[in-house]
Amino acid sequence: MGDLVDVVNSGIRTRTLGRSPSLWPLLARGAVLSPFKRPRAGVTAVRIRLVLPGVRVDLARLAAYERACGFGVGADELPPTYPHVLGFPAAMRLMSARTFPLPLLGLVHTSVGITQRKALTATGEYELAVCVDDLIPHRRGTEAVVVTEVRAAGELVWESRSTYLARHAVAGRPAGQAAAAEPEPLPVLAGWQLAEDVGRRYAAASGDRNPIHLHPLTARMFGFPRTVAHGMWTVARCLAERGTPQAARIRAEFKAPVLLPGRVSYGARSSRFELRGAGDGGRLHLTGEVLPLT
């Protein structure tokens, strides 16, 4: 079954999907269209909201995801990052479309903010909605803001805002976009030796098969010396180590890629957490914060 309904309201077109899109054709379409798109300041996005009703979790894929990210397997509670996996194909459909003004190839996931209002059960049924909420100036180019919402029985139970950066020349640094000083390292609580296949195992569990995460040869085609870990894997691995309340606000910023194989250090204090390199002078890869939602 394909798309079902198009409804236009307040300038936003809502399109109901009959099934979750297949990622491989979207990646291929995005790659083909990317050379014809020139990222620049002042571009706007077509306001389309994709809705996917009746979503149920594939428990086998969930278990593979939990193993890949270090969560416990078998609990009837979704990891707080798993709805991102459920909504990612719809997000890719929007960002690979001809009407999306930024090239898919080269987009960098720079941050994610998650609000989880209650625990989501692995056996529940959900409605997902995804849209490109805005295109905003960044000191290195333009960021797309992608919003994902999850509803259960009509109630908003989970939402996220992810930013994806397309680099291009900017005339001047936008107000409020000055580079922040790097924070002092947090106390190290764990160290992880990451195998070269971490990216492939996460890709198999999540469906996100970006070539930079799969093999050193394909990573080098995009300028990386080795395979790169998924940013959302690094967030999930930190949250699996830390634990999160059932109702929480989570914020993470991706600072530098994690090359595979490699060794990293997990640090945390109070609500804050981070991931740093253990063998390259403590390079900061990820910063984040978890706050209880009251």
Side-chain angles (χ1 to χ4, degrees):
M1 181 182 290
D3 298 2
L4 297 178
V5 180
D6 261 6
V7 177
V8 179
N9 185 20
S10 301
I12 301 176
R13 180 185 303 161
T14 296
R15 180 170 297 166
T16 301
L17 306 179
R19 62 172 179 266
S20 184
S22 177
L23 276 170
W24 272 116
L26 299 178
L27 287 169
R29 181 175 70 179
V32 169
L33 292 176
S34 286
F36 301 98
K37 297 181 179 182
R38 185 171 66 88
R40 62 191 186 278
V43 294
T44 57
V46 176
R47 301 301 301 276
I48 298 178
R49 182 174 179 264
L50 299 181
V51 176
L52 186 63
V55 175
R56 288 191 174 275
V57 174
D58 182 322
L59 297 182
R61 287 192 63 185
L62 172 61
Y65 176 90
E66 291 168 332
R67 285 191 292 268
C69 299
F71 293 102
V73 177
D76 188 25
E77 183 176 319
L78 294 181
T81 48
Y82 196 70
H84 174 88
V85 173
L86 299 176
F88 186 69
M92 282 295 299
R93 174 161 170 168
L94 292 173
M95 291 191 289
S96 66
R98 189 179 301 275
T99 54
F100 184 70
L102 304 178
L104 184 65
L105 293 182
L107 277 184
V108 179
H109 197 180
T110 51
S111 73
V112 62
I114 294 171
T115 301
Q116 179 167 291
R117 290 175 166 78
K118 60 168 64 175
L120 278 66
T121 63
T123 52
E125 181 175 308
Y126 303 101
E127 178 187 89
L128 270 66
V130 181
C131 72
V132 177
D133 186 59
D134 203 0
L135 297 177
I136 58 176
H138 184 276
R139 61 191 176 87
R140 293 182 178 175
T142 298
E143 279 187 328
V145 181
V146 178
V147 174
T148 303
E149 298 176 339
V150 179
R151 286 175 169 79
E155 178 189 1
L156 181 63
V157 292
W158 187 99
E159 60 186 314
S160 72
R161 293 176 67 88
S162 281
T163 56
Y164 296 87
L165 172 65
R167 293 188 176 95
H168 59 78
V170 293
R173 180 168 290 177
Q177 290 285 329
E182 184 172 307
E184 289 295 317
L186 299 176
V188 175
L189 303 183
W192 305 321
Q193 181 64 46
L194 307 182
E196 191 270 337
D197 69 344
V198 163
R200 290 191 292 276
R201 289 192 287 114
Y202 181 84
S206 68
D208 182 357
R209 291 182 171 84
N210 188 318
I212 66 173
H213 306 306
L214 301 180
H215 194 277
L217 290 177
T218 52
R220 282 195 284 271
M221 292 171 59
F222 293 90
F224 296 98
R226 303 198 302 277
T227 312
V228 178
H230 291 72
M232 286 304 298
W233 178 87
T234 63
V235 176
R237 184 65 186 89
C238 289
L239 295 179
E241 182 74 17
R242 184 190 185 284
T244 57
Q246 290 188 340
R249 294 189 188 275
I250 301 164
R251 170 76 181 176
E253 296 185 4
F254 306 108
K255 299 295 187 180
V258 175
L259 299 179
L260 303 171
R263 184 167 179 80
V264 293
S265 296
Y266 166 77
R269 178 191 290 125
S270 185
S271 63
R272 296 167 54 210
F273 64 90
E274 68 180 18
L275 200 64
R276 290 181 180 266
D280 58 0
R283 186 183 190 188
L284 182 62
H285 296 297
L286 170 75
T287 63
E289 186 173 35
V290 177
L291 296 171
L293 184 65
T294 57

